[in-house]
Amino acid sequence: MNNQPIGVFDSGLGGLTVVRALQRHLPNETIIYFGDTARVPYGTKSTQTVLQFAEQDCHFLLRFNPKMVIVACNTASAAALTELYSRVPVPLLGVIEPGATEAVRHARGRTVAVLATESTVASGAYPRAIANLSPDTPVIQQRCPSLVPLIEEGRGADDPILQMLLREYLEDVRLLRPAVVVLGCTHYPLIGEAVAKLMPDAQVVDSADATARQARQMLAEADALSGVSGKGRLRCYVSDNPQRFREIGGRFLGHPIRDVTWVTPEQFFNESLLLASGEEEEAV
Ligand code: DGL
């Protein structure tokens, strides 16, 4: 039993889809979420930059003494997870490997299509993870750069502009008739239905759900599940604009968010400033 919190970070508010899945699979756990809303998006940035940001995000979360850190951002998982293993002294879980495992399970050797940001596609992290599990499974990737801003704008699965764009992104993918489509970005679970409608013969895999199930398994195996029964707390920290995070984040989380704190650059980079407020002790 371990009542320390789970740390979760993302480039912004998209990682709340992973928190939503965590709350479903691990309802007793306290979650400390960091959204790097000042530096989002990560999906168009270079690997070196994303690695640097991801390491800083992890170190911010370490102030809360987490029992594990989940890299909820696909782009950060793709660019940084391997490096982070040697730089962060707590168990880490990214979203790529759980999503790939779930995809391979459904595909049974048939083609897997991965939809993701430009950086995730360029990293080749999903094809590599799938090849590690099943070397003969064909993988195609499609970058969908305009989906993130449209989804944040509030356009959902039934929005005509979003559907038109998705149809264009999926044009070549559909010709290859994949058996599985992986939603390889934090935002895409919100439009999973639109993807499923355009590709009715494919199994749509949500990395967020697969990650939450793997987190539960890791904690159970380490005998580190929370012993507190009842509703686990969620406390969010953001590097900019807590108001926007609160307003839009509720759609990603599935219910309103109350507890959002703005972390100034000074507080983010200088541990003693946030410690002075006593926030960390209270959160743990
Ligand atoms: N969170 C990012 C991901 O899952 C999407 C948003 C961004 O580009 O930062 O890849």
Side-chain angles (χ1 to χ4, degrees), residues 75-200:
T75 304
S77 298
L81 193 66
T82 316
E83 289 289 327
L84 290 178
Y85 281 132
S86 59
R87 300 187 192 184
V88 179
V90 294
L92 286 173
L93 176 64
V95 288
I96 307 272
E97 202 234 271
T101 305
E102 188 73 357
V104 165
R105 196 169 68 78
H106 287 290
R108 287 179 276 116
R110 295 167 298 165
T111 302
V112 173
V114 178
L115 312 183
T117 64
E118 289 170 270
S119 304
T120 301
V121 166
S123 76
Y126 270 106
R128 249 191 330 273
I130 292 169
N132 277 342
L133 298 161
S134 170
D136 296 329
T137 296
V139 184
I140 48 175
Q141 300 194 92
Q142 176 64 49
R143 53 199 194 96
C144 308
S146 302
L147 289 183
V148 164
L150 285 182
I151 294 168
E152 288 199 7
E153 208 179 288
R155 296 183 190 273
D158 50 6
D159 179 83
I161 292 177
L162 188 128
Q163 285 175 353
M164 200 172 71
L165 187 71
L166 203 51
R167 211 170 288 122
E168 193 179 308
Y169 283 144
L170 294 180
E171 200 176 323
D172 293 342
V173 175
R174 285 162 84 189
L175 293 176
L176 295 168
R177 299 182 164 278
V180 174
V181 181
V182 179
L183 304 177
C185 170
T186 47
H187 291 55
Y188 302 170
L190 270 74
I191 56 153
E193 263 174 47
V195 175
K197 221 176 249 173
L198 285 171
M199 309 196 60

